[in-house]
Amino acid sequence: MSQQLKVTVWNEFRHEKESEIVRAAYPQGIHTAIGEGLSGNVQVTYATLDDPEHGLSEEVLNNTDVLIWWGHKAHNEVQDDIVARVQKRVWQGMGLIVLHSGHFSKVFKSLMGTSCDLKWREADEKERLWVVAPGHPIVEGIGEYIDLEAEEMYGEHFDIPQPDELIMVSWFEGGEVFRSGCTFNRGNGKIFYFRPGHETYRTYYNEQIRRVISNAVQWAAPSTREYPKYGNHKPLEEIKAKVKA
């Protein structure tokens, strides 16, 4: 897609206000680090939980090609009508990239239809993300794997539907594995779930992680295909009256 993509980066923006550790890692907020890491022809705007309508008004969403979502501690504070609004836009073709603990967001769970639960542990352990679909555009420019020296562990079983494509699988120092890069299609929209990004680690400054997210934005961009028309439909051909016996 050669035209400029309009990307909205959504973040709770709570940890950075309440924790010195997180504020030291992301002094301008996680959303800013994600947005500044995007490459390509993109126009980035930001939205946070405490903005009016969580920053996701009808106007904002209608002018968003790809929405990036990071949330963790306040999933239940996201209003249901805003969740429905996002879900509808995905069906209509807006791309959605869900990062790290966004797996438990109302938005992601509503689109998956499952609990999206998993195992987790915070132990400063090494993560290796193996690329298992090397020909996929989301991992263009990435080698066989990405090493992160310290991250939060997520482990299987990850209660999601079978992904349409499995792009990356993580191994952790403690022995667990996890489906860390998964794509889904919902309506006209494309969804990418990408695991790394615990708030106390500077993961979103890692150039390879930034490359994956930038690639995913391009991949998730809406197509030019029109949204299908539903409901009562006039016949395409003439229906001849049937003679009743």
Side-chain angles (χ1 to χ4, degrees), residues 11-182:
N11 174 28
E12 283 179 356
F13 199 35
R14 290 283 182 82
H15 286 289
E16 302 93 323
K17 297 176 181 177
E18 300 169 5
S19 168
E20 290 289 346
I21 295 173
V22 179
R23 188 158 48 249
Y26 296 101
Q28 304 302 318
I30 292 170
H31 52 299
T32 302
I34 293 168
E36 290 178 347
L38 296 178
S39 59
N41 190 16
V42 296
Q43 175 185 323
V44 181
T45 58
Y46 300 102
T48 65
L49 179 65
D50 294 322
D51 293 336
E53 299 184 81
H54 307 321
L56 300 174
S57 65
E58 293 274 7
E59 182 180 2
V60 168
L61 286 175
N62 288 339
N63 285 284
T64 298
D65 295 313
V66 180
L67 175 64
I68 301 176
W69 192 280
W70 194 99
H72 183 211
K73 65 182 299 183
H75 297 311
N76 290 336
E77 294 184 40
V78 178
Q79 299 172 16
D80 291 341
D81 60 327
I82 305 299
V83 173
R85 186 181 293 172
V86 172
Q87 183 184 58
K88 181 180 179 182
R89 281 288 295 126
V90 172
W91 291 343
Q92 292 172 341
M94 181 183 72
L96 176 65
I97 299 171
V98 177
L99 300 175
H100 191 59
S101 46
H103 73 91
F104 240 6
S105 66
K106 289 182 179 180
V107 165
F108 190 62
K109 290 198 289 186
S110 71
L111 287 160
M112 296 298 104
T114 57
S115 75
C116 299
D117 214 342
L118 45 78
K119 297 181 180 70
W120 63 274
R121 176 177 62 241
E122 291 184 45
D124 289 341
E125 58 196 286
K126 181 176 180 176
E127 175 181 6
R128 176 168 292 148
L129 295 105
W130 286 97
V131 173
V132 296
H136 200 281
I138 287 178
V139 288
E140 178 68 29
I142 303 299
E144 290 188 334
Y145 57 84
I146 299 172
D147 273 345
L148 299 175
E149 289 306 313
E151 252 292 355
E152 179 183 19
M153 185 281 293
Y154 279 7
E156 295 287 347
H157 176 247
F158 186 16
D159 187 23
I160 54 173
Q162 183 70 23
D164 293 322
E165 301 167 301
L166 181 59
I167 311 301
M168 306 183 84
V169 174
S170 286
W171 165 87
F172 292 90
E173 193 173 347
E176 290 81 7
V177 296
F178 191 77
R179 289 168 289 169
S180 288
C182 305

Side-chain angles (χ1 to χ4, degrees), residues 234-245:
K234 294 182 179 181
L236 299 178
E237 314 291 344
E238 180 184 357
I239 301 173
K240 296 180 180 179
K242 303 296 190 296
V243 177
K244 295 183 178 179

